[in-house]
Amino acid sequence: MKLYDGGRAPNPRRVRIFLAEKGLSVPLEQVDLGALAQKSPAFTAINPVQRVPALQLDDGSIITESIAICRYFEALHPEPPLFGKGAKDQAIVEMWQRRVEFHLLVPISHVFRNSHPAMKEMEVPQVPAWAEANKPRVMDFLALLDRELKSRPFVAGDRYTVADITGLVSVDFLKPAKLAVPDELVHLKRWHGEVSARPSAKA
């Protein structure tokens, strides 16, 4: 088994944090995103979408997409239950995981990919207007998340889950996108400080 990794990029980091929370270790092979190694013929043969992470199993099978990889490990190692426990809990975790991914991580990615000079070769063409259009979407969802975190310690409830992992990498991704959590979002800042302090956050 081997995990094709991409350093501090959000999606590979989601998988590494998930594995750290599970206490699992998987051999890593770094894919140099700055050198566009993900677009090489060798890596394209592994993942034709040319994105990391990618998990190669012992039988040669390839699983891509960070949440799909996390679900694979959750099925093999169900404790702690990072996708929830029981029908209702799992549905709520899935709901919040998707909300954070689609309404926070993806818009931040649009801002970063369409405005950062280092992304010119990866995001062709860059559309600065699309970056600007996504900034208020990011801020609106941060405010929504702050309101939700007023009444509970974690994104999806009383326990740390994959929704918190996605939230953590999203909020951390604000910095390279040249965005920031507004000072008045105190519940979000409290949550971010707590999840950032977990040992897994350093993965």
Side-chain angles (χ1 to χ4, degrees), residues 96 139-155 184-190:
W96 278 104
M139 293 302 143
D140 286 348
F141 192 81
L142 289 173
L144 183 154
L145 198 53
D146 181 73
R147 293 192 297 272
E148 293 289 331
L149 287 165
K150 182 178 181 179
S151 61
R152 58 181 183 269
F154 297 106
V155 171
E184 64 268 23
L185 302 187
V186 294
H187 308 295
L188 182 60
K189 284 179 172 286
R190 181 270 308 161

Side-chain angles (χ1 to χ4, degrees), residues 2 11 15 18 24 28 57 68 83 102 106-107 109 111 119 134 164 188-189:
K2 177 166 56 177
N11 283 309
V15 174
F18 189 91
L24 301 174
L28 300 180
L57 305 183
F83 280 92
F102 292 137
V106 170
S109 298
V111 173
M119 294 301 295
N134 276 280
D164 295 286
L188 182 60
K189 284 179 172 286

Side-chain angles (χ1 to χ4, degrees), residues 9-54:
N11 283 309
R13 188 175 172 223
R14 278 203 281 184
V15 174
R16 292 198 311 274
I17 293 173
F18 189 91
L19 291 172
E21 286 287 332
K22 292 283 186 181
L24 301 174
S25 178
V26 175
L28 300 180
E29 181 168 323
Q30 292 299 326
V31 178
D32 188 345
L33 303 181
L36 301 180
Q38 72 276 21
K39 296 183 179 293
S40 68
F43 188 75
T44 301
I46 294 164
N47 183 8
V49 179
Q50 299 179 331
R51 297 288 176 93
V52 287

Side-chain angles (χ1 to χ4, degrees), residues 147-177:
R147 293 192 297 272
E148 293 289 331
L149 287 165
K150 182 178 181 179
S151 61
R152 58 181 183 269
F154 297 106
V155 171
D158 293 332
R159 288 184 299 103
Y160 183 91
T161 68
V162 69
D164 295 286
I165 295 174
T166 299
L168 171 63
V169 301
S170 298
V171 173
D172 287 350
F173 199 32
L174 290 170
K175 186 174 181 179

Side-chain angles (χ1 to χ4, degrees), residues 67-97:
I67 294 301
I69 293 169
C70 291
R71 283 199 174 278
Y72 174 79
F73 286 110
E74 178 90 347
L76 292 178
H77 305 277
E79 295 295 332
L82 296 177
F83 280 92
K85 202 164 188 176
K88 179 181 176 182
D89 189 37
Q90 288 176 350
I92 290 172
V93 171
E94 181 72 12
M95 175 181 75
W96 278 104
Q97 145 58 29

